[in-house]
Amino acid sequence: MPEIQIDIIDTMGNISTLPLPNDVPMDDVIDSVIALADLTPTDENGQKLSYRLFSRRFLKILSKDGTLYTNGVMEGDQLRIAPEPFEPFVEFVMLSDPEKAAVLQLPPIPRITIGRGSENDIVIRHQIVSRQHGELIWQDGIHIYRDLNSANGSYINNQPVSEPMPLPINSVFSMGESVRILYRESSATGAKLATGELPPLIIDSQTNTSLTPLPRAGLFISYVLQEKDASEPIVQGLREANFHVFWEAEIPVGSNPEEAVETNLKYSDVMVVILTPKAVATPRLTEHWNRFIVMRKPIIVLQHDDAELPAALSDQKILPYVTDQIKLNHELAAAILEIIR
């Protein structure tokens, strides 16, 4: 069985160079990739994911029929791997202004354009969005996103879109620094949009025309996974202040969670520790703090009254955790800006 070395890029941008069989069915190749790259085989509900491979060289989803050889894949090629939706109905959910929480259903039609101009299929009137910002191409069961030379760029899970890329389910898609959108399977319980239909989708902003993004910084949020709900308002407040935020709750399917954490520990500028009694007692979080300290990068601690301050964090910036969410978000953003300046 001949093997060739292929670079596999997961949904968080991590690259694994793997020896893959060149002459076996694609389903077996994908099973090998999942095992060798330690990708998540199921979604959060335990349902088995169906992965597809996208060729950077051919700019297409590889055919399920045949092998790597018959698909034209060569030694040293780079392939992106992404799970396809369980159903061909997906939607955008706005995570930010101009209309937070708005839901836009996307039917599986060949092409959907996105931009500020009224000629687009999805119109997002925000100053950071270009007139013709990007397009979604429905290709063999997966949306491929292409940036149309926009002024402020596009991002998928914080990865700059410099070439067409598959848009994985449960990914965060961003236009510029400010407009953030969740891409997920449709949550509608009624009739789905039929293929070929796309009603006008217009998101308008009258309040953000003078928005000036704050200096960009990458933030790593250290928190206990079981306390996700309490941590989420802090994350949203930081994003509204135009910071890039990584927290484990949003690691998309189709990635290696450990590698995602490692990558973001390495490239984040500031760590925000949400210090609760459970956090103090979690060895995994202690390891993350020590890694950041060894790299001589700043940490800001939001300390709950009932949480004992570990010695490792005693020299870091300490802020009291207050229940006033607006005050807490304001003080935290100000502390981060003071550090990065």
Side-chain angles (χ1 to χ4, degrees), residues 166-182:
L167 190 55
I169 288 297
N170 294 332
S171 290
V172 176
F173 163 64
S174 307
M175 288 179 282
E177 298 281 337
S178 305
V179 177
R180 301 179 65 260
I181 302 170
L182 175 65

Side-chain angles (χ1 to χ4, degrees), residues 115-221:
R116 195 177 67 245
S118 58
E119 70 276 11
N120 291 284
D121 299 308
I122 298 178
V123 180
I124 300 180
R125 297 198 175 111
H126 190 293
Q127 71 150 17
I128 212 162
V129 177
S130 294
R131 183 173 183 83
Q132 293 180 319
H133 200 101
E135 63 180 2
L136 289 169
I137 306 298
W138 183 253
Q139 187 184 110
D140 201 11
I142 290 183
H143 271 126
I144 308 299
Y145 178 77
R146 183 165 75 101
D147 185 90
L148 298 177
N149 296 316
S150 64
N152 294 300
S154 304
Y155 301 84
I156 296 175
N157 297 324
N158 285 335
Q159 301 170 66
V161 180
S162 57
E163 61 188 38
M165 290 171 56
L167 190 55
I169 288 297
N170 294 332
S171 290
V172 176
F173 163 64
S174 307
M175 288 179 282
E177 298 281 337
S178 305
V179 177
R180 301 179 65 260
I181 302 170
L182 175 65
Y183 176 81
R184 71 181 186 190
E185 292 194 85
S186 178
S187 58
T189 55
K192 304 287 188 179
L193 293 175
T195 300
E197 293 181 355
L198 186 62
L201 302 174
I202 299 176
I203 301 295
D204 204 350
S205 170
Q206 302 296 329
T207 60
N208 286 322
T209 55
S210 61
L211 178 65
T212 302
L214 296 172
R216 180 177 174 178
L219 309 180
F220 187 104
I221 307 300

Side-chain angles (χ1 to χ4, degrees), residues 270 300 317 319 329-340:
V270 180
I300 296 177
K317 176 75 172 179
L319 294 177
N329 290 344
H330 175 77
E331 291 180 351
L332 180 56
I336 296 168
L337 285 174
E338 182 180 356
I339 287 175
I340 66 175

Side-chain angles (χ1 to χ4, degrees), residues 16-293:
S16 302
T17 301
L18 305 177
L20 296 176
N22 199 26
D23 58 353
V24 304
M26 287 298 295
D27 283 345
D28 293 336
V29 172
I30 290 173
D31 286 343
S32 297
V33 171
I34 294 170
L36 292 171
D38 198 22
L39 305 183
T40 50
T42 63
D43 69 2
E44 59 184 9
N45 298 316
Q47 190 169 359
K48 189 177 188 299
L49 294 168
S50 177
Y51 282 90
R52 305 296 301 278
L53 291 171
F54 175 82
S55 170
R56 293 183 66 189
R57 183 156 60 89
F58 296 125
L59 299 182
K60 70 175 184 180
I61 296 289
L62 299 185
S63 172
K64 286 184 176 179
D65 300 324
T67 65
L68 288 178
Y69 176 78
T70 59
N71 271 283
V73 177
M74 301 173 63
E75 178 94 18
D77 273 358
Q78 287 194 327
L79 305 178
R80 293 187 179 274
I81 187 165
E84 63 181 344
F86 293 112
E87 300 290 341
F89 298 99
V90 292
E91 63 190 14
F92 277 163
V93 182
M94 298 295 297
L95 300 178
S96 64
D97 290 332
E99 192 174 325
K100 190 173 181 179
V103 177
L104 310 176
Q105 288 194 24
L106 308 175
I109 61 177
R111 180 173 183 260
I112 297 174
T113 60
I114 308 170
R116 195 177 67 245
S118 58
E119 70 276 11
N120 291 284
D121 299 308
I122 298 178
V123 180
I124 300 180
R125 297 198 175 111
H126 190 293
Q127 71 150 17
I128 212 162
V129 177
S130 294
R131 183 173 183 83
Q132 293 180 319
H133 200 101
E135 63 180 2
L136 289 169
I137 306 298
W138 183 253
Q139 187 184 110
D140 201 11
I142 290 183
H143 271 126
I144 308 299
Y145 178 77
R146 183 165 75 101
D147 185 90
L148 298 177
N149 296 316
S150 64
N152 294 300
S154 304
Y155 301 84
I156 296 175
N157 297 324
N158 285 335
Q159 301 170 66
V161 180
S162 57
E163 61 188 38
M165 290 171 56
L167 190 55
I169 288 297
N170 294 332
S171 290
V172 176
F173 163 64
S174 307
M175 288 179 282
E177 298 281 337
S178 305
V179 177
R180 301 179 65 260
I181 302 170
L182 175 65
Y183 176 81
R184 71 181 186 190
E185 292 194 85
S186 178
S187 58
T189 55
K192 304 287 188 179
L193 293 175
T195 300
E197 293 181 355
L198 186 62
L201 302 174
I202 299 176
I203 301 295
D204 204 350
S205 170
Q206 302 296 329
T207 60
N208 286 322
T209 55
S210 61
L211 178 65
T212 302
L214 296 172
R216 180 177 174 178
L219 309 180
F220 187 104
I221 307 300
S222 173
Y223 72 107
V224 177
L225 295 177
Q226 295 89 337
E227 297 174 341
K228 171 181 175 290
D229 291 346
S231 304
E232 188 167 7
I234 297 172
V235 172
Q236 295 304 323
L238 291 170
R239 284 177 171 157
E240 289 169 5
N242 293 305
F243 293 108
H244 282 288
V245 178
F246 170 81
W247 67 321
E248 292 181 74
E250 290 182 349
I251 296 178
V253 294
S255 62
N256 181 322
E258 291 184 3
E259 285 194 16
V261 169
E262 286 294 317
T263 299
N264 282 276
L265 280 170
K266 181 177 179 180
Y267 291 109
S268 293
D269 302 298
V270 180
M271 176 182 285
V272 176
V273 174
I274 302 176
L275 194 67
T276 63
K278 285 185 178 179
V280 173
T282 304
R284 182 178 58 87
L285 298 189
T286 303
E287 181 184 346
H288 295 169
W289 307 338
N290 290 334
R291 292 279 304 283
F292 230 67
I293 292 169

